[in-house]
Amino acid sequence: MDIARAAAGLFMREGLRATRAEDIARAAGIAPRTFYRYFASKEESLAPLFAAGVHKWAETVRDAPAHLSVSEALRHGVVQTMTPGVGVRAESLQWVRSLLRLAEGSPALLRVWGEACHTAERTLAEVLAARNPTTPEAVARPTDAEPAPHARPSEEPSSSSDASPPLSPGLRLSAAVASAAVRVAVEAWAAGDDPADGPTGPVALAVRNLDTLRGFPWHTE
């Protein structure tokens, strides 16, 4: 995460094209060879930063009060993680805006953002399964582990016997639909100049998108 923050700062100050992996390593206080132990490219160095944000929402949905419906839990997650001064600092949202604007002009960086969102969909599907503890997914797949989009150099890949069971199509669809509703809201806000709070902020846009899905058969199994 330290490397990711250093990269984000350089990208926003110097521009993506002008920033080299070696510059990021220097800013993070590490050797270039250490940088390449973690990331294959300068764009990939933002993966932990992107992943942290999108996973935080899924984890907040997981921790939502048990009596809330799926729709209410999704809204709860949005409000708790995306409201300036509540779940996120206003400065952090401006970072998000700047980085997503950079991604729009960089296929490599846009791919990193997309991969982070796709991984978060899997986490959200597991969260939805956990909200119905009788489902096989909820029993076989605990959801309290931290996501690891980029393994540490010392970590070994898990064996095939540790592979998680496949999630049902319904769970995957529900997670994809909910994730898209929030992702599109954040991207739409980032593309403009509206403030982070108020009726055109990311929270309001995301809640509005989720409200359009009223009646959607949210699957928890």
Side-chain angles (χ1 to χ4, degrees):
M1 186 61 79
D2 289 339
I3 299 172
R5 292 193 181 102
L10 284 172
F11 290 160
M12 288 187 289
R13 290 193 303 271
E14 308 295 335
L16 181 62
R17 180 172 298 179
T19 301
R20 304 173 303 162
E22 291 78 9
D23 299 324
I24 298 170
R26 186 181 305 111
I30 60 174
R33 65 178 179 275
T34 303
F35 176 92
Y36 285 114
R37 290 178 64 197
Y38 289 90
F39 307 107
S41 68
K42 62 183 181 182
E43 292 86 1
E44 282 189 12
S45 66
L46 285 187
L49 206 56
F50 283 151
V54 293
H55 278 285
K56 185 178 180 182
W57 171 59
E59 291 163 359
T60 305
V61 174
R62 176 197 64 192
D63 296 334
H67 69 273
L68 296 182
S69 66
V70 170
S71 179
E72 292 168 338
L74 294 171
R75 288 174 55 118
H76 170 86
V78 165
V79 172
Q80 292 300 311
T81 60
M82 295 168 55
T83 301
V86 177
V88 64
R89 295 182 303 167
E91 296 85 354
S92 296
L93 285 173
Q94 292 306 317
W95 275 47
V96 169
R97 167 175 272 166
S98 297
L99 294 175
L100 288 182
R101 286 182 173 181
L102 283 177
E104 285 300 319
S106 168
L109 191 53
L110 192 61
R111 183 168 59 251
V112 174
W113 166 245
E115 288 173 354
C117 293
H118 186 269
T119 301
E121 282 183 20
R122 172 84 190 197
T123 301
L124 184 60
E126 293 164 358
V127 165
L128 296 180
R131 292 191 71 83
N132 182 1
T134 62
T135 64
E137 289 94 340
V139 175
R141 177 76 177 189
T143 61
D144 57 355
E146 289 293 326
H150 280 270
R152 305 288 295 184
S154 60
E155 288 179 347
E156 296 294 334
S158 59
S159 65
S160 58
S161 61
D162 295 331
S164 58
L167 293 162
S168 71
L171 276 169
R172 296 182 64 180
L173 175 63
S174 291
V177 168
S179 296
V182 176
R183 174 182 55 78
V184 168
V186 173
E187 292 175 345
W189 170 77
D193 297 311
D194 292 325
D197 54 1
T200 54
V203 172
L205 294 176
V207 168
R208 195 176 307 153
N209 286 352
L210 290 171
D211 283 347
T212 65
L213 298 171
R214 189 166 295 154
F216 183 83
W218 299 107
H219 294 277
T220 56
E221 58 184 78

